[in-house]
């Protein structure tokens, strides 16, 4: 599934072209676009906001957690549009969020997989991101959803500005090619997993879009190897969480070229000053950060916000190989453990 991501991303962009155009024609004239999700899909909503800031031509994108969207608002008007993200189209609060959007004056779309599309065939605005994923630790369905969101926001940006806001081929060629190159880091990720599987806790941080990748990668590590892993934006890490790190912890910094890279260097220096092992996921653009690292995962250079996608791929591999080192099943969501299976049944997702 990790290796499917470049092709799945490109396919998601290509197969949804007509649906993207139809929704963007309506949404581009709205004041706000609420993007709603839960779990991994919540992280996709955060990336949607960065896409909008980069190439949405002033479109206001507001990420909202599905649970909050259902229970706490906001009130929707005819000046709003809504996109709900759900890998399978069946998670309870995401389905409730979709129904809330459909019952409002706001045009509402769903980004889902082929399985979810069969559940919501009658929906006017339906984007199919990927084929069904066999693992509970979602990888290609997440990055494919990002491909759809980037397409929608690029089309909205073009309609609002009257000109293309992304260079031709960015989503169909440039990003997938960079993702393919990022897959070459698997051997390095495997070696790092072998060296670092025994840490008490793993901390991840990155600036801007890289912070979203840090949060998502921490979730993948927790879901697959059951290690303690926490992800933060670089600045948030410096404002409290850093005070709870210990020298036998591991720090992973997502540090490609970008506006926040210098601040991530400050965090790297603090990390090494108290003796933590440090892994850096970078594009080789900062020799100062790379020099501090005990291990590196290096991806091709690509502009923000898309570096959040390329840097995630080797972290997917790291999560997988940490699970192999620890003897856990990275695909089962710990439901092969009877205790967790019974507990899981008590709170329907």
């Amino acid at each position: 599934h990790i290796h499917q991501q470049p092709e799945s991303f490109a396919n998601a962009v290509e197969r949804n072209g007509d649906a993207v155009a139809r929704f963007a024609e309506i949404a581009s004239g709205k004041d706000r676009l609420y993007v709603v999700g839960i779990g991994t899909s919540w992280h996709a909503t955060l990336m949607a906001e960065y896409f909008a800031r980069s190439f949405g031509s002033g479109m206001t994108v507001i990420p909202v957690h599905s649970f909050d969207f259902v229970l706490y608002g906001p009130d929707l008007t005819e000046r709003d549009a809504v996109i709900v993200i759900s890998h399978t189209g069946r998670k309870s609060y995401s389905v409730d969020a979709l129904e809330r959007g459909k019952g409002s004056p706001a045009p509402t779309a769903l980004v889902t997989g082929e399985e979810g599309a069969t559940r919501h065939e009658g929906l006017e605005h339906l984007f199919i991101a990927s084929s069904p994923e066999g693992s509970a630790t979602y990888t290609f369905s997440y990055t494919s959803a990002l491909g759809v969101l980037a397409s929608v926001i690029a089309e909205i940006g073009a309609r609002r500005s009257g000109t293309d806001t992304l260079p031709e081929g960015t989503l169909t060629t440039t990003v997938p090619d960079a993702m393919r190159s990022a897959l070459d880091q698997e051997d390095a990720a495997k070696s790092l997993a072998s060296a670092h599987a025994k840490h008490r806790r793993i901390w991840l941080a990155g600036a801007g879009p890289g912070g979203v990748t840090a949060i998502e990668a921490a979730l993948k590590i927790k879901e697959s190897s059951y290690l303690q892993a926490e992800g933060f934006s670089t600045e948030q890490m410096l404002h409290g969480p850093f005070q709870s790190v210990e020298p036998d912890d591991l720090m992973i910094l997502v540090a490609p070229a970008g506006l926040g890279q210098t601040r991530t260097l400050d965090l790297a220096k603090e990390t090494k000053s108290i003796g933590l092992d440090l892994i850096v996921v970078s594009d080789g653009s900062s020799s100062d950060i790379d020099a501090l690292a005990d291990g590196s995962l290096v991806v091709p250079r690509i502009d923000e916000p898309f570096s959040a996608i390329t840097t995630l791929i080797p972290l997917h591999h790291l999560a997988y190989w940490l699970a192999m080192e620890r003897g856990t099943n990275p695909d089962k969501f710990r439901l092969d453990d009877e205790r967790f299976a019974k507990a899981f049944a008590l709170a329907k997702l």
Side-chain angles (χ1 to χ4, degrees):
H1 284 352
I2 294 171
H3 284 263
Q4 275 182 254
Q5 290 181 94
E7 282 63 41
S8 187
F9 182 98
N11 288 340
V13 173
E14 291 169 354
R15 77 189 296 184
N16 288 286
D18 291 342
V20 164
R22 288 193 300 271
F23 183 74
E25 182 177 5
I26 300 170
S28 60
K30 304 299 183 181
D31 296 332
R32 295 165 295 272
L33 174 61
Y34 292 99
V35 186
V36 183
I38 201 165
T40 290
S41 294
W42 162 243
H43 303 153
T45 75
L46 301 177
M47 283 302 303
E49 186 176 16
Y50 282 108
F51 291 156
R53 293 176 186 177
S54 180
F55 48 85
S57 299
M59 185 70 195
T60 298
V61 169
I62 303 173
V64 188
H65 198 279
S66 300
F67 182 83
D68 287 349
F69 188 79
V70 171
L71 298 182
Y72 297 101
D75 293 332
L76 299 170
T77 74
E78 69 280 353
R79 300 306 305 158
D80 301 320
V82 176
I83 298 177
V84 176
I85 309 166
S86 175
H87 302 286
T88 62
R90 60 178 168 81
K91 295 294 174 67
S92 56
Y93 280 102
S94 294
V95 172
D96 289 348
L98 182 64
E99 292 303 314
R100 183 172 185 270
K102 288 164 58 180
S104 78
T108 299
L110 173 65
V111 179
T112 189
E114 292 174 356
E115 177 187 358
T118 63
R119 292 189 168 95
H120 301 279
E121 287 179 314
L123 190 63
E124 181 179 3
H125 300 291
L126 182 63
F127 305 117
I128 303 174
S130 67
S131 57
E133 192 153 1
S135 172
T137 306
Y138 296 129
T139 53
F140 73 81
S141 57
Y142 170 71
T143 48
S144 298
L146 294 185
V148 173
L149 291 171
S151 296
V152 170
I153 291 169
E155 186 67 21
I156 288 174
R159 289 173 183 271
R160 289 169 66 92
S161 66
T163 186
D164 289 341
T165 55
L166 283 179
E168 184 178 358
T170 296
L171 299 180
T172 56
T173 303
T174 305
V175 175
D177 283 351
M179 294 169 74
R180 291 184 189 97
S181 294
L183 288 169
D184 293 340
Q185 291 296 294
E186 181 170 10
D187 286 344
K190 181 178 180 180
S191 295
L192 290 172
S194 178
H196 295 285
K198 292 185 171 27
H199 285 280
R200 176 189 77 108
R201 182 176 293 171
I202 299 174
W203 302 91
L204 299 97
V212 181
T213 290
I215 297 168
E216 171 63 10
L219 179 60
K220 299 302 100 171
I221 291 170
K222 285 182 275 197
E223 289 175 333
S224 58
S225 66
Y226 321 142
L227 284 165
Q228 295 183 58
E230 298 296 334
F232 297 92
S233 68
T234 294
E235 194 63 23
Q236 188 64 27
M237 183 71 195
L238 290 166
H239 286 258
F242 189 81
Q243 274 52 55
S244 66
V245 305
E246 297 292 345
D248 59 349
D249 293 349
L250 171 66
M251 180 73 75
I252 301 175
L253 295 182
V254 182
L259 297 173
Q261 189 184 61
T262 299
R263 190 57 163 167
T264 304
L265 173 59
D266 291 341
L267 180 54
K269 291 175 181 177
E270 287 199 13
T271 295
K272 294 309 299 178
S273 74
I274 62 169
L276 270 74
D277 285 347
L278 172 64
I279 294 173
V280 172
V281 188
S282 78
D283 54 11
S285 59
S286 174
S287 57
D288 291 334
I289 293 179
D290 292 342
L292 293 170
D294 299 291
S296 298
L297 296 165
V298 184
V299 301
R301 184 162 182 176
I302 191 169
D303 290 339
E304 288 182 323
F306 298 114
S307 58
I309 299 173
T310 55
T311 52
L312 179 60
I313 287 176
L315 290 171
H316 281 160
H317 274 137
L318 182 65
Y320 173 82
W321 286 108
L322 283 171
M324 295 299 99
E325 286 290 324
R326 290 174 52 80
T328 62
N329 189 321
D331 300 319
K332 293 294 187 182
F333 211 56
R334 210 166 186 174
L335 297 182
D336 50 350
D337 182 325
E338 184 179 352
R339 299 169 302 161
F340 283 84
K342 287 181 177 178
F344 187 76
L346 298 176
K348 182 179 180 295
L349 297 187

